[in-house]
Every structure is written in structure tokens, then in C-alpha cells.
Amino acid sequence: MAAPLAVKVAYSPRAGAVEERALVVPADAVLLEALHSSGVLERHPEIDLGSARFGIWGQLRALDAPLRDGDRIEIYRPLQVDPMEARRLRQRRQQVTCSRRK
């Protein structure tokens, strides 16, 4: 019989806040089982298993992905702003700030 796995489940419900829970799961556990064991789905009913995206150490994974010891499971929030548009907005703000200083 294989040894249980120590994993972490991380979720950021809003910018600047991160919840991370360490847990021990059976050796043959998959991502979905760890999510249920962590209690994150009960604490955050806004997480929709059908549309949310999940990953392990920054790599997208399916709910049936097998786990390994030391994995960090991440629950990704939907983007509020397109990353390219956010970059353009930051650049415009920076240009305005620089032109005011001159």
C-alpha cells in the first residue's frame, strides 16, 4: 500500500487574499477528491466545477488528474479584464504620470 500524499489547495477569492490549506489524501487521489477534502468548495460556493479552471503548480489540469506528493492545487478565478487591455491601461496611466512631471 502506497503512502498518503501531502498536498495543498490554494484559492484567491479576491485580489490580495489567498487561502491555502494543507491536507493529506490517499495515494491514488485525483484533483477533484482533494478539492472536496479541503472544504474549499463548501466555503466558496461561487466556485463552479463546470466552468472554473484548475491547475497544479501553474499548469492547467483536469479534475481527474492524479496527484503527487507535494502538489499545490490552484483554483483560478475568471479574469475581470483582458490581460492585454490591462497592460494598455497601465501604460496609458504611466504616460500621463510621466507627462505631468515634465
Side-chain angles (χ1 to χ4, degrees):
M1 182 165 193
L5 308 174
V7 298
K8 292 181 180 178
V9 176
Y11 177 60
S12 176
R14 63 191 173 287
V18 177
E19 292 183 23
E20 189 171 276
R21 176 148 187 220
L23 60 144
V24 176
V25 295
D28 60 348
V30 295
L31 194 145
L32 180 61
E33 293 167 335
L35 292 175
H36 283 295
S37 295
S38 72
V40 71
L41 300 175
E42 290 78 25
R43 286 190 309 279
H44 297 283
E46 71 273 13
I47 299 171
D48 178 17
L49 291 175
S51 63
R53 298 174 76 180
F54 306 93
I56 297 175
W57 290 112
Q59 300 292 315
L60 286 178
R61 296 286 187 261
L63 290 172
D64 62 352
L67 299 176
R68 297 187 326 198
D69 195 47
D71 277 349
R72 181 177 194 266
I73 300 161
E74 301 156 345
I75 305 165
Y76 305 121
R77 287 182 284 131
L79 294 175
Q80 299 297 317
V81 178
D82 175 58
M84 289 301 290
E85 183 60 25
R87 183 175 180 271
R88 285 186 203 101
L89 293 172
R90 282 192 308 272
Q91 187 175 14
R92 284 186 201 133
R93 281 194 303 262
Q94 187 177 23
Q95 287 173 346
V96 169
T97 302
C98 290
S99 66
R100 288 182 183 167
R101 291 182 183 168
K102 292 182 180 180

